[in-house]
Amino acid sequence: MDREKELMKKKLEEELNDVTFTRQNQVLLKIEKKSFREKMALFLNKEIEINVIPVSLAIMLIALPLSYGIFKNSNVSERKMIEIAGSYYWEDELEGRLNIDED
């Protein structure tokens, strides 16, 4: 087993004999510790993944109780219909228009 590893190592060294690193300084600079400004730039540059189903579910859970109060207050059954000359009008809207016309 050791003999096989040594043969593979020699073969790899022979194949990589012509390969040289030309950007050694750039690699070393990347290894060095980053400043706070660089860390902050990296942090702000991150991609954020938002799952649609949990977010939409959360919005619905928040919106439903809020909308319940709106629809509860606008109860249509409390309004009265009035018939005038074969046409039907809401009483409160008709009174509002009559008050505007009187002014």
Side-chain angles (χ1 to χ4, degrees), residues 29-93:
L29 288 174
K30 287 184 179 180
I31 294 174
E32 292 178 5
K33 289 189 174 184
K34 294 179 173 65
S35 67
F36 177 74
R37 186 176 215 166
E38 290 172 340
K39 288 180 184 178
M40 186 58 79
L42 286 173
F43 176 74
L44 294 175
N45 232 3
K46 296 255 183 199
E47 290 186 23
I48 298 174
E49 292 183 16
I50 298 175
N51 294 330
V52 175
I53 294 173
V55 171
S56 60
L57 182 64
I59 290 172
M60 283 177 42
L61 288 175
I62 292 170
L64 283 176
L66 296 176
S67 63
Y68 177 73
I70 294 170
F71 291 118
K72 183 180 176 186
N73 293 337
S74 65
N75 194 355
V76 177
S77 65
E78 295 175 4
R79 298 176 78 184
K80 292 182 182 178
M81 295 287 289
I82 298 176
E83 181 184 359
I84 299 176
S87 299
Y88 292 94
Y89 302 97
W90 290 112
E91 182 181 23
D92 56 343
E93 288 183 11

Side-chain angles (χ1 to χ4, degrees), residues 17-38:
N17 193 19
D18 296 330
V19 176
T20 57
F21 292 106
T22 57
R23 298 183 181 179
Q24 185 177 4
N25 289 334
Q26 290 178 350
V27 172
L28 290 175
L29 288 174
K30 287 184 179 180
I31 294 174
E32 292 178 5
K33 289 189 174 184
K34 294 179 173 65
S35 67
F36 177 74
R37 186 176 215 166
E38 290 172 340

Side-chain angles (χ1 to χ4, degrees), residues 90-103:
W90 290 112
E91 182 181 23
D92 56 343
E93 288 183 11
L94 184 64
E95 288 175 1
R97 288 188 184 191
L98 289 176
N99 289 337
I100 291 173
D101 292 339
E102 289 175 2
D103 291 338

